[in-house]
Amino acid sequence: MSPVTALTGDPRRRAFVNARLMDPSRGLEGPGGVLIESGRIVASGPQVTAASARADDVMDCKGHLLFPGLIDMCVFTGEPGNEYRETLKSASLAAAAGGVTTMIVMPATDPVIDEAAIVDFILRRARDTAAVRVAPMAAITRSLKGEQMSETGLLREAGAVALTDGRAGVASPRVLRRAMAYARDFNMLVVQHVKDADLAAGGVMNEGELSARLGLPGIPRQAEIIMLERDIRLVELTGARYHAAQISCAESLDIIRRAKDAGLPVTCGVSINHLTLNENDIGAWRTFFKLTPPLRREEDRAALARGVADGTIDVIVSAHDPQSADTKRLPFAEAAFGAIGLETLFSAAFSLHLGGEIPLPRLIEAMSAAPARLLELEGGSLAPGQPADFAIADPDASWKVEPEALRSLSKNTPFEDRVFTGRVIHTVVAGRSVFS
Amino acid sequence: MDLAGHAPCWLTRRGGYACRACLVEKRRAALAPDGGGGYVTALMNTGSTSAPSGRILSARDLLGVDGLSVSEIAALLDLADSYVELNRRTDKKLSVLRGRTHINLFFEPSTRTQSSFELAGKRLGADVMNMSVKTSSVSKGETLLDTAMTLNAMHPDLLVVRHHHAGAAELLAQKVSCAVINAGDGRHEHPTQALLDALTIRRHRGRLENLVIAICGDILHSRVARSNINLLLKMGAHVRLVAPSSLLPPDAARLGPEIFTSMADGLRGADVVMMLRLQLERMNGAFIPSTREYYRFYGLDSEKLTAAKDGALVMHPGPMNRGVEISSDIADGPQSVIREQVEMGVAVRMAVLDALARNLEPAGEGEEA
């Protein structure tokens, strides 16, 4: 495990018994328990029972679902720079409540995470204040300007787990080519926001009939397609490990499939919003649905869900992006992009399982084992020896999303008043209960 | 020394006094402390590697290592070896090139290479002229050819050219009637640098074959690297390139060497570590993130050098960026042969000028008769 997400484990021997285990990393599903000690998993499976465990502390999970802690590959916070929107601490509390045990934070802070010293700052602040593990991605280019590559090697040594320019894609193919070639030598994953900023300039929502009716400038799907196609050519050229942070259109799935079939080191993610919402949710210019990439048509949403189910899409992220009234209570065109999502991540994903669109093991896998694999982190598994990071959810609990009750400092949830079935009731990080 | 019974000369195939080269020998013989032909004879007879005629090079020009054969390289190094001894004496002057005009035509500023060539020409008795051409006004191709025609009218014998674009020496060679020596054309070749590096290594290790030589740093923009890769592979060395991928040419492995992107791997067991200069304009953010990061991962310091063989040679073509590609304690340390490279540079350039002059029409024929 990289030192970045290391926490001192709870030394106690604890048993979580009478659970319904789901560990997609081992294809494990069924009744059983988990035994942990010193912050690591000692045993997991049907053999772990209250009688066999000889633990200091035994918790009866009452048949609820126990799964590996979620690893969220895309979390924006306001720390440093905009702490009033979100701190590492407030985000981590929201994460814990959503079953997320590792947050990968984005470098789009103020100052930008483009120097080893800022990586160090994030890790120290997280260690001192956060309830869950935190690891930063660092900027591909200095100040996210897309011009000069940042100090990849030093950033990696400091504890950055991947490179990304956050909400900005690297526009210049020449700059990206060199950054990718260089990143490859350090085995750093390059995470790109796939939007051709020039083609998308001025656009605020999906370009189509609805944008025409609402009178809003559109972002054509080609802005994503062109960028993704181009980037994959650069992967061919450089051999770098490449991850499209969030795709939003059906055509992007074909591009990813082709790249994977060709054996290229290409992966992609999708936000939970793009799996559960579409452009019609914007309704009357509701800015909490203004996202980047934009919410697309229902056909796209359904295709993305199929893409997760068949494995074309590797990971699901919350794309948690706290914005406050000053950036969201504005005319749609002027409002900031982004929605919060940490606390609702599991419930929203569970709704896809309930709707029969994506099997639950695949959903869990896309939020635990898959990101762990991409980022070469420990975790995402209940196997013995792994960190004791997991969550317990009551699949039958129903709850209504009330923004004021959410733990995030910003309340821009696109699921306001939505009633979800399935909710995280207990979260353990490094053997400690951080939410219950 | 009895010159009357002197065998036919290697250069002119004439006997006795008619031959200028023999006059050289006569003069040296008189000056030599032991009264004998000593090393001068060695100059004339370059050993088993050169043809009996004394010709070393088959081509008129030295445009790159690419055009040299193994035996030509070996012969040039042998000849240069003998000039090293000459250069260490108080009297360093020969008149092998007496009457020859040697022009240094530099389109790109260079102190070291230009002065090294200038000294080499002067020590061999040539008339040396330096031309530094500013590359501002006219379109480059036109300037180059115009300059070539102008120079040609001055009847030079040896033209040393450096230019910022690859292929410039080749183009010039097509337009002039003298011997052209490429002193660096863009990122393409710098053959005399590779020869002097080879000479330095050979003098320390006695051979080039089967040595493991790691060339490290900005391979992409380096003509020194290209010439060295060429030459060392020809001579049977195992060549490795060590650089971040952003400073490696595409398909570098197809040139023949092994490619490494980490110093620890690339230097493991190396006999020679050759560092390259990182040019200032490439440092920040374009090809590498920063000089600080470059030094951390690709700069040669004592820790990274431990991966190489004990006593491995450390080389650098200069000028060095201390604290960027090499640490000062290594550059000035016991394994460094960097200053020796400069010394070998003069000897190698003398050998090249001498060898090319041997292919020219004899100068001042009969004037001494």
Side-chain angles (χ1 to χ4, degrees):
Chain A
M1 158 145 285
S2 66
V4 297
T5 50
L7 292 172
T8 21
D10 186 335
R12 287 181 302 158
R13 190 174 169 92
R14 306 179 70 192
F16 294 79
V17 299
N18 191 25
R20 188 182 143 215
L21 298 182
M22 179 163 293
D23 184 4
S25 75
R26 293 186 295 162
L28 178 73
E29 193 180 342
V34 176
L35 180 64
I36 63 174
E37 190 171 357
S38 301
R40 291 200 171 257
I41 293 172
V42 175
S44 62
Q47 77 281 12
V48 179
T49 61
S52 73
R54 289 180 291 109
D56 308 330
D57 169 39
V58 177
M59 178 174 154
D60 182 356
C61 299
K62 297 174 184 154
H64 291 149
L65 192 67
L66 189 155
F67 52 92
L70 307 184
I71 299 172
D72 188 345
M73 267 182 79
C74 186
V75 177
F76 292 88
T77 78
E79 185 167 356
N82 286 294
E83 285 84 353
Y84 72 100
R85 281 187 211 158
E86 194 83 293
T87 60
L88 290 168
K89 181 180 181 180
S90 64
S92 77
L93 295 174
V100 174
T101 55
T102 301
M103 300 191 295
I104 308 300
V105 296
M106 296 293 108
T109 47
D110 182 14
V112 169
I113 307 177
D114 61 358
E115 286 218 19
I118 316 279
V119 171
D120 197 52
F121 169 81
I122 296 284
L123 294 175
R124 280 187 289 108
R125 285 294 289 171
R127 183 195 64 204
D128 295 346
T129 66
V132 303
R133 295 179 202 268
V134 174
M137 287 194 195
I140 301 174
T141 61
R142 288 190 211 165
S143 308
L144 311 176
K145 282 186 179 159
E147 291 161 5
Q148 301 181 320
M149 65 171 101
S150 55
E151 296 172 319
T152 307
L154 297 173
L155 288 162
R156 182 186 171 88
E157 281 192 337
V161 295
L163 295 174
T164 184
D165 271 3
R167 299 181 196 93
V170 178
S172 159
R174 176 175 44 84
V175 170
L176 186 61
R177 181 237 176 130
R178 288 182 192 148
M180 283 169 96
Y182 194 83
R184 197 199 66 150
D185 298 345
F186 290 87
N187 190 30
M188 277 290 248
L189 183 69
V190 174
V191 180
Q192 171 87 317
H193 186 74
V194 276
K195 180 167 93 174
D196 184 320
D198 193 43
L199 185 54
V204 296
M205 68 171 288
N206 181 43
E207 185 173 282
E209 183 191 333
L210 192 60
S211 67
R213 287 183 187 281
L214 290 173
L216 290 171
I219 299 171
R221 39 212 305 114
Q222 283 73 12
E224 175 171 311
I225 296 164
I226 290 171
M227 191 76 153
L228 190 57
E229 288 270 22
R230 180 204 77 171
D231 286 358
I232 285 167
R233 301 294 167 187
L234 295 178
V235 174
E236 284 175 356
L237 187 61
T238 60
R241 290 168 57 221
Y242 173 89
H243 179 77
Q246 300 179 41
I247 60 169
S248 68
C249 353
E251 291 93 329
S252 298
L253 289 161
D254 299 332
I255 300 168
I256 295 285
R257 263 184 218 114
R258 270 205 308 279
K260 287 185 169 181
D261 287 348
L264 295 173
V266 169
T267 54
C268 74
V270 65
S271 90
I272 191 66
N273 303 318
H274 293 83
L275 291 172
T276 52
L277 306 168
N278 65 35
E279 63 176 352
N280 298 311
D281 287 298
I282 291 171
W285 300 274
R286 293 196 293 172
T287 60
F288 287 6
F289 297 86
K290 180 176 175 183
L291 307 175
T292 177
L295 293 170
R296 303 282 184 189
R297 302 165 307 175
E298 172 58 16
E299 301 94 284
D300 293 303
R301 189 207 62 77
L304 292 170
R306 285 194 300 278
V308 173
D310 69 20
T312 305
I313 296 176
D314 302 86
V315 303
I316 301 171
V317 298
S318 72
H320 183 83
D321 192 349
Q323 299 291 340
S324 59
D326 65 321
T327 51
K328 279 292 192 185
R329 291 280 174 232
L330 293 167
F332 196 92
E334 291 175 13
F337 291 100
I340 59 168
L342 276 167
E343 199 165 341
T344 47
L345 178 59
F346 174 79
S347 297
F350 198 72
S351 73
L352 291 161
H353 157 68
L354 294 177
E357 287 194 281
I358 306 171
L360 186 57
R362 175 65 197 119
L363 284 167
I364 302 281
E365 210 257 334
M367 297 186 287
S368 57
R373 190 178 67 243
L374 290 186
L375 299 171
E376 300 183 343
L377 296 175
E378 275 192 313
S381 167
L382 298 177
Q386 287 284 343
D389 295 359
F390 50 85
I392 300 163
D394 178 350
D396 302 317
S398 79
W399 64 295
K400 185 175 169 188
V401 178
E402 286 161 343
E404 291 317 309
L406 294 176
R407 286 159 180 80
S408 180
L409 291 183
S410 293
K411 308 299 179 187
N412 54 314
T413 172
F415 300 115
E416 183 172 359
D417 291 339
R418 179 104 156 221
V419 176
F420 282 125
T421 300
R423 184 176 199 180
V424 172
I425 55 170
H426 196 105
T427 303
V428 174
V429 176
R432 277 194 189 82
S433 295
V434 294
F435 169 75
S436 58
Chain B
M1 197 173 187
D2 178 17
L3 288 165
H6 192 60
C9 174
W10 54 268
L11 179 63
T12 60
R13 298 193 179 284
R14 293 180 189 176
Y17 291 98
C19 166
R20 233 195 92 242
C22 298
L23 288 172
V24 172
E25 186 164 352
K26 179 183 156 199
R27 204 153 29 235
R28 297 304 316 178
L31 287 168
D34 61 356
Y39 68 85
V40 182
T41 311
L43 293 188
M44 301 309 169
N45 175 14
T46 54
S48 58
T49 44
S50 70
S53 66
R55 278 182 73 127
I56 288 178
L57 299 173
S58 57
R60 186 195 68 175
D61 309 305
L62 178 65
L63 300 177
V65 172
D66 217 17
L68 295 177
S69 69
V70 172
S71 57
E72 285 175 323
I73 293 167
L76 276 175
L77 296 182
D78 290 343
L79 182 57
D81 242 334
S82 63
Y83 280 127
V84 173
E85 304 312 316
L86 173 72
N87 286 335
R88 288 179 181 172
R89 296 171 60 117
T90 317
D91 179 1
K92 306 172 177 65
K93 192 89 173 174
L94 288 184
S95 41
V96 173
L97 297 185
R98 205 178 65 157
R100 300 286 190 197
T101 302
H102 159 188
I103 297 181
N104 284 330
L105 177 61
F106 277 61
F107 289 88
E108 205 180 67
S110 152
T111 319
R112 299 167 159 250
T113 309
Q114 184 171 328
S115 51
S116 180
F117 268 109
E118 183 177 352
L119 207 52
K122 284 180 172 166
R123 286 193 181 159
L124 293 177
D127 296 316
V128 184
M129 185 183 91
N130 288 318
M131 275 189 73
S132 294
V133 185
K134 295 246 164 58
T135 56
S136 51
S137 50
V138 220
S139 99
K140 304 290 191 312
E142 214 174 43
T143 308
L144 181 64
L145 288 187
D146 285 351
T147 313
M149 299 319 287
T150 311
L151 285 177
N152 207 34
M154 298 176 189
H155 301 294
D157 301 288
L158 295 150
L159 183 59
V160 177
V161 62
R162 166 169 289 189
H163 197 276
H164 41 276
H165 286 312
E170 171 91 32
L171 181 62
L172 199 73
Q174 293 166 11
K175 296 288 170 189
V176 297
S177 46
C178 61
V180 174
I181 300 167
N182 181 5
D185 61 328
R187 312 175 181 184
H188 175 231
E189 279 236 42
H190 190 1
T192 57
Q193 178 71 42
L195 286 165
L196 76 88
D197 288 339
L199 182 64
T200 310
I201 298 169
R202 208 180 68 165
R203 285 173 67 93
H204 278 271
R205 292 288 178 268
R207 66 191 161 96
L208 295 167
E209 311 83 70
N210 293 321
L211 293 180
V212 176
I213 299 172
I215 304 176
C216 315
D218 185 358
I219 314 280
L220 181 64
H221 302 100
S222 175
R223 52 191 170 219
V224 174
R226 276 171 188 67
S227 287
N228 264 315
I229 293 165
N230 250 327
L231 189 147
L232 294 168
L233 285 174
K234 270 184 195 186
M235 302 310 279
H238 300 291
V239 181
R240 297 176 180 171
L241 303 182
V242 190
S245 297
S246 52
L247 289 178
L248 281 166
D251 291 327
R254 296 184 67 93
L255 305 178
E258 257 190 290
I259 310 296
F260 295 86
T261 55
S262 115
M263 288 288 271
D265 297 338
L267 262 52
R268 190 162 299 135
D271 295 283
V272 179
V273 182
M274 235 181 229
M275 300 308 296
L276 296 172
R277 174 178 167 76
L278 187 69
Q279 291 183 26
L280 280 159
E281 63 272 22
R282 320 205 202 284
M283 284 181 186
N284 289 318
F287 289 88
I288 52 154
S290 66
T291 53
R292 166 171 83 171
E293 164 136 344
Y294 188 78
Y295 182 67
R296 166 70 186 77
F297 295 102
Y298 295 98
L300 187 66
D301 56 19
S302 48
E303 190 197 324
K304 296 193 192 82
L305 188 56
T306 53
K309 269 193 193 153
D310 283 347
L313 299 181
V314 172
M315 307 177 72
H316 191 295
M320 284 181 281
N321 298 301
R322 290 169 185 262
V324 178
E325 67 255 1
I326 191 164
S327 73
S328 268
D329 60 325
I330 297 299
D332 304 328
Q335 288 171 260
S336 165
V337 293
I338 294 170
R339 264 172 292 181
E340 200 177 321
Q341 285 174 274
V342 179
E343 183 190 354
M344 295 306 121
V346 178
V348 152
R349 282 157 190 142
M350 287 167 77
V352 168
L353 291 169
D354 180 0
L356 288 176
R358 293 180 193 189
N359 296 354
L360 297 171
E361 289 295 308
E365 202 175 318
E367 68 182 272
E368 302 266 352

